[in-house]
């Protein structure tokens, strides 16, 4: 086993989307890296990753090693991304309380908006379920094959979100959630940007919104990633977008950030919650994206207003150890 360590930099963001797809961008991230040998035990190596390492890239992970690790009993780490072509596994480990609050509190506030309404029974939390473009591994580890193919043929990728939310009847969205939340604490967002691209591409548009939460002791930034609108075909302008070939769909649906900035800031760790500065509120999640149907009045878009975002930030920052605040 060999190990290298380097700081993740913005230069390794999804550098030039025209030149790099999401898989290449993820596999070439400049993060702490471990190279394993065939005889190495992947579970032990992950368990020995130093505290607060967050994202770690492990090279030399064959599909067999990955399958053994991801199937029960997986004891260490959370899958961030895997590519069998590159034999690269990226894990989140160890996972801190502040990281869990960063995505979990955001999920809870979105889910809370359905309490007491009929929407509560239309939606369900998907947790950190493992997704393959070819198949879905549920939280109970029962495998659902999305393309009726019981084998992983050729190269494959896999990923888990920190939190996710979707339809109670998952077949309405091909088994994928409609919303995925990814979080990172005090690090570059490069990995999250690449992962947002992967969610939108790998799900073939089934994932409608990817929320990225980038936290630090004085600032939390939330970005909402969606696929760009598909332009009409010049040869068939009236042709419905849903009939576009999948490859064309992925090319046309270049992800974009909207809104460009949503931030919660405080001047110091002693700043009262009501004095947190919120820029870019409200956070809006379009009803049609979340529920895959038109709203029936009084139903409408999901909104997190400035006061809710202040409460969210307070809950996150309360999870900081004393020496980090």
């Amino acid at each position: 086993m060999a190990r290298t360590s380097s700081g993740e930099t913005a230069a390794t963001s999804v550098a030039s989307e025209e030149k790099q797809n999401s898989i290449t961008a993820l596999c070439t991230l400049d993060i702490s890296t471990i190279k394993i040998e065939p005889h190495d035990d992947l579970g032990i190596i992950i368990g020995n990753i130093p505290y607060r390492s967050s994202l770690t890239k492990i090279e030399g992970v064959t599909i067999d090693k990955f399958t053994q690790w991801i199937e029960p009993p997986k004891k260490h780490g959370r899958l961030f991304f895997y590519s069998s072509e590159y034999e690269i596994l990226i894990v989140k480990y160890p996972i801190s309380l502040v990281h869990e609050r960063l995505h979990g509190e955001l999920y809870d506030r979105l889910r809370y908006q359905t309490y007491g309404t009929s929407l509560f029974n239309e939606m369900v939390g998907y947790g950190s379920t493992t997704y393959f473009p070819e198949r879905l591994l549920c939280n109970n580890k029962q495998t659902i094959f999305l393309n009726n193919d019981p084998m992983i043929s050729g190269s494959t990728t896999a990923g888990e979100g920190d939190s996710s939310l979707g339809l109670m009847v998952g077949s309405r969205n091909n088994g994928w959630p409609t919303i995925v939340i990814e979080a990172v604490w005090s690090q570059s967002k490069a990995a999250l940007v690449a992962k947002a691209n992967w969610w939108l591409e790998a799900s073939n548009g089934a994932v409608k919104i990817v929320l990225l939460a980038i936290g630090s002791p004085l600032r939390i930034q939330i970005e909402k990633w969606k696929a760009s609108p598909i332009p009409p075909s010049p040869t068939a302008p009236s042709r419905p977008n849903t009939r576009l070939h999948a490859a064309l769909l992925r090319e046309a649906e270049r992800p974009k950030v909207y809104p460009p900035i949503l931030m919660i800031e405080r001047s110091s760790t002693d700043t009262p919650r009501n004095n947190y500065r919120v820029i870019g509120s409200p956070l809006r999640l379009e009803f049609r994206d979340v529920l895959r149907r038109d709203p029936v009045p009084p139903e409408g878009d999901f909104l997190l207003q400035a006061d809710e975002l202040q409460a969210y930030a307070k809950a996150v920052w309360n999870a900081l150890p004393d020496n980090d605040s």
Side-chain angles (χ1 to χ4, degrees):
M1 175 188 70
R3 182 185 184 94
T4 61
S5 179
S6 57
E8 188 178 6
T9 64
T12 59
S13 70
V14 191
S16 176
E17 289 179 359
E18 293 76 14
K19 296 180 181 179
Q20 281 191 308
N21 61 27
S22 61
I23 298 173
T24 304
L26 285 161
C27 290
T28 56
L29 284 168
D30 184 15
I31 56 178
S32 179
T33 301
I34 300 170
K35 182 170 179 59
I36 65 172
E37 304 299 335
H39 61 273
D40 288 332
D41 186 306
L42 182 58
I44 292 176
I45 287 171
I46 293 174
N48 288 333
I49 292 174
Y51 180 64
R52 296 189 181 182
S53 293
S54 188
L55 292 182
T56 299
K57 179 164 57 177
I58 305 173
E59 299 178 346
V61 180
T62 64
I63 186 67
D64 288 340
K65 279 186 177 292
F66 172 72
T67 302
Q68 291 170 9
W69 174 73
I70 200 68
E71 297 286 359
K74 185 181 70 171
K75 295 181 178 179
H76 299 293
R78 177 177 297 162
L79 169 66
F80 184 74
F81 176 75
Y82 174 71
S83 167
S84 65
E85 178 184 2
Y86 288 86
E87 294 191 346
I88 283 178
L89 171 67
I90 302 176
V91 294
K92 284 186 175 180
Y93 182 78
I95 299 170
S96 65
L97 177 60
V98 69
H99 173 271
E100 296 294 82
R101 290 269 183 93
L102 191 57
H103 65 87
E105 290 286 336
L106 188 56
Y107 166 87
D108 287 344
R109 280 163 172 75
L110 293 171
R111 188 73 169 113
Y112 180 77
Q113 297 198 5
T114 68
Y115 290 168
T117 74
S118 61
L119 297 181
F120 184 79
N121 293 323
E122 285 191 56
M123 302 177 67
V124 66
Y126 283 43
S128 55
T129 300
T130 303
Y131 290 87
F132 296 78
E134 296 86 359
R135 68 175 187 171
L136 166 67
L137 258 174
C138 291
N139 283 328
N140 62 8
K141 301 306 178 183
Q142 176 185 0
T143 303
I144 298 175
F145 299 100
L146 300 182
N147 293 332
N148 298 317
D149 182 1
M151 300 295 290
I152 300 178
S153 58
S155 63
T156 191
T157 57
E160 292 178 3
D162 285 314
S163 290
S164 54
L165 184 65
L167 305 177
M168 179 70 77
V169 182
S171 58
R172 285 179 53 202
N173 204 41
N174 293 329
W176 293 81
T178 53
I179 304 168
V180 175
I181 305 173
E182 296 276 7
V184 69
W185 184 259
S186 293
Q187 292 185 342
S188 166
K189 68 177 185 180
L192 296 196
V193 172
K195 187 73 173 295
N197 279 265
W198 180 83
W199 281 112
L200 297 171
E201 293 167 5
S203 69
N204 244 345
V207 173
K208 295 300 181 184
I209 298 172
V210 183
L211 296 177
L212 307 183
I214 303 101
S216 65
L218 298 180
R219 172 186 290 180
I220 297 172
Q221 181 167 314
I222 301 172
E223 295 184 355
K224 183 177 80 173
W225 284 69
K226 296 180 63 174
S228 301
I230 306 172
S233 168
T235 57
S238 61
R239 185 179 182 184
N241 289 333
T242 54
R243 298 177 59 193
L244 289 173
H245 187 273
L248 177 60
L249 181 68
R250 286 193 294 270
E251 179 65 23
E253 287 194 332
R254 288 291 184 185
K256 66 176 183 179
V257 180
Y258 181 83
I261 297 176
L262 197 158
M263 292 189 295
I264 309 106
E265 298 178 328
R266 60 180 181 174
S267 57
S268 74
T269 57
D270 297 325
T271 303
R273 190 190 87 184
N274 290 343
N275 290 337
Y276 293 169
R277 184 183 179 205
V278 180
I279 303 169
S281 64
L283 174 63
R284 179 186 299 271
L285 274 62
E286 292 76 10
F287 187 94
R288 291 178 181 85
D289 290 330
V290 179
L291 273 298
R292 301 302 305 271
R293 66 172 176 82
D294 290 333
V296 177
E299 296 173 344
D301 292 347
F302 292 72
L303 296 174
L304 289 184
Q305 303 288 357
D307 59 338
E308 296 172 281
L309 293 167
Q310 288 172 328
Y312 158 71
K314 181 67 173 178
V316 173
W317 283 326
N318 278 347
L320 276 172
D322 291 340
N323 59 352
D324 285 349
S325 59

